Amino acid sequence: MKKYATNARLISFAYVLYLYLSLSAFILLSLVPKLLNIVLPLNDSRPITMPYDVYYFVDEEKYYFYIIFHIYVSVNMSLTAAAAHDSTFFIYIEHICSLFAVVGFHLETLSRKDRNDANNNLSYNRKIVVSIHAHWRALRFAKILEDIFCTAFAVQMLIVTVTLTITLLQVVLHYGDIKETLKYLAFIVAQVIHTFCYSLQGQRLINHSIQLRDKVYNSSWYEIPAESRKLLLFVMRRSMEPCFLSAGKIFIFSLKSFTTVNII
């Protein structure tokens, strides 16, 4: 579980760092023409650019830095909320995966313990029941997580779909302007990466939930008394149904769904 906790910390740190570096780079690129006008002025001032189309009903040239500061602060606040939401989600996923990994380890090494007491059905039954209870706790945690984030993910996927549609329209409208086209393409790539992070974590949950059947099968189950073996069937049968996270019970977050949607 410490290994998964470390992974959760690294994933969250890398994700938050990526978000804020992308935001800073996006804002700084918009400042380049204005800074060049100050450092290397030309006969005709370079046209100023905004990170996105915005109307403040004031002179944009005169209040340019104030507008940029307001844009940076407002976008940064929204990005902080998104980073907190996504980081919490990543940590929960890693915790659930660690629970499945612990259960799998106990089931896989079940017959390696108490070899001198292999006929003690009660000892094996007790260990299997503890593993089944831990498996049930992991399944319940996954179900609670699905219920909590299902609606939020549906709203996010709707927003992503709408923004991607508008951005693709802007790419078509600014087809001749390389600078504007690259800016909108960068936004599209950011949205795709955002969806990929969700899909990757969803795939990890699916993999860890169904790997228990392989853990049981790869264990020395034949060394366990026949009566105790029957208890393992409950875990294997439940592991045939993977746990997953979805957006409104419509889109299941997995690498297969991600590649299918992006190919289409």
Side-chain angles (χ1 to χ4, degrees):
M1 295 189 75
K2 289 183 179 179
K3 174 184 176 181
Y4 282 87
T6 302
N7 290 340
R9 183 165 57 250
L10 291 176
I11 292 172
S12 300
F13 176 77
Y15 183 76
V16 172
L17 184 63
Y18 158 74
L19 289 180
Y20 284 104
L21 287 179
S22 300
L23 173 63
S24 300
F26 195 69
I27 297 297
L28 288 176
L29 287 176
S30 301
L31 286 171
V32 170
K34 185 66 174 180
L35 294 177
L36 289 177
N37 287 336
I38 298 175
V39 178
L40 299 172
L42 299 175
N43 293 332
D44 295 328
S45 298
R46 300 175 180 88
I48 62 174
T49 58
M50 295 292 178
Y52 52 84
D53 294 334
V54 60
Y55 301 97
Y56 280 86
F57 305 101
V58 295
D59 187 352
E60 294 183 354
E61 181 73 27
K62 180 179 180 181
Y63 298 98
Y64 180 77
F65 289 106
Y66 295 99
I67 295 174
I68 289 294
F69 178 75
H70 180 266
I71 291 176
Y72 180 80
V73 172
S74 58
V75 174
N76 190 52
M77 292 174 61
S78 302
L79 202 64
T80 301
H85 174 274
D86 295 344
S87 298
T88 303
F89 166 70
F90 295 154
I91 292 172
Y92 284 157
I93 289 294
E94 290 298 319
H95 180 65
I96 297 176
C97 291
S98 69
L99 294 179
F100 282 120
V102 169
V103 175
F105 174 79
H106 284 302
L107 292 175
E108 191 175 25
T109 60
L110 184 64
S111 60
R112 300 179 188 176
K113 302 178 182 179
D114 300 332
R115 289 182 178 272
N116 297 328
D117 194 19
N119 294 324
N120 190 348
N121 292 0
L122 182 61
S123 176
Y124 281 112
N125 290 346
R126 185 183 302 111
K127 295 172 185 177
I128 295 175
V129 168
V130 171
S131 298
I132 292 176
H133 181 68
H135 185 213
W136 176 83
R137 291 177 59 191
L139 293 174
R140 179 164 177 79
F141 196 173
K143 181 65 169 58
I144 293 174
L145 194 66
E146 161 70 8
D147 294 339
I148 291 175
F149 286 92
C150 181
T151 303
F153 284 151
V155 174
Q156 287 196 30
M157 292 304 295
L158 178 61
I159 294 174
V160 168
T161 302
V162 173
T163 54
L164 282 179
T165 303
I166 297 175
T167 306
L168 289 173
L169 177 61
Q170 292 296 325
V171 171
V172 174
L173 294 177
H174 297 85
Y175 180 74
D177 191 340
I178 298 178
K179 183 178 179 180
E180 290 295 320
T181 301
L182 291 177
K183 182 176 70 173
Y184 289 117
L185 287 177
F187 182 78
I188 293 174
V189 172
Q191 291 295 333
V192 171
I193 293 177
H194 182 229
T195 307
F196 173 76
C197 292
Y198 281 166
S199 300
L200 181 61
Q201 290 300 103
Q203 185 66 50
R204 284 178 56 80
L205 177 60
I206 293 174
N207 293 342
H208 279 76
S209 63
I210 64 178
Q211 72 178 358
L212 291 182
R213 61 188 181 188
D214 299 328
K215 295 286 187 180
V216 175
Y217 182 78
N218 294 330
S219 66
S220 301
W221 53 268
Y222 43 82
E223 298 182 4
I224 302 174
E227 295 183 0
S228 300
R229 272 181 234 160
K230 296 179 181 179
L231 294 175
L232 297 177
L233 295 177
F234 292 101
V235 178
M236 295 186 69
R237 185 178 297 112
R238 180 58 185 84
S239 298
M240 298 294 291
E241 302 176 7
C243 297
F244 59 85
L245 292 172
S246 65
K249 306 295 184 180
I250 299 175
F251 179 83
I252 297 177
F253 289 103
S254 65
L255 295 181
K256 180 179 179 180
S257 300
F258 174 79
T259 53
T260 302
V261 170
N262 281 275
I263 290 174
I264 294 176

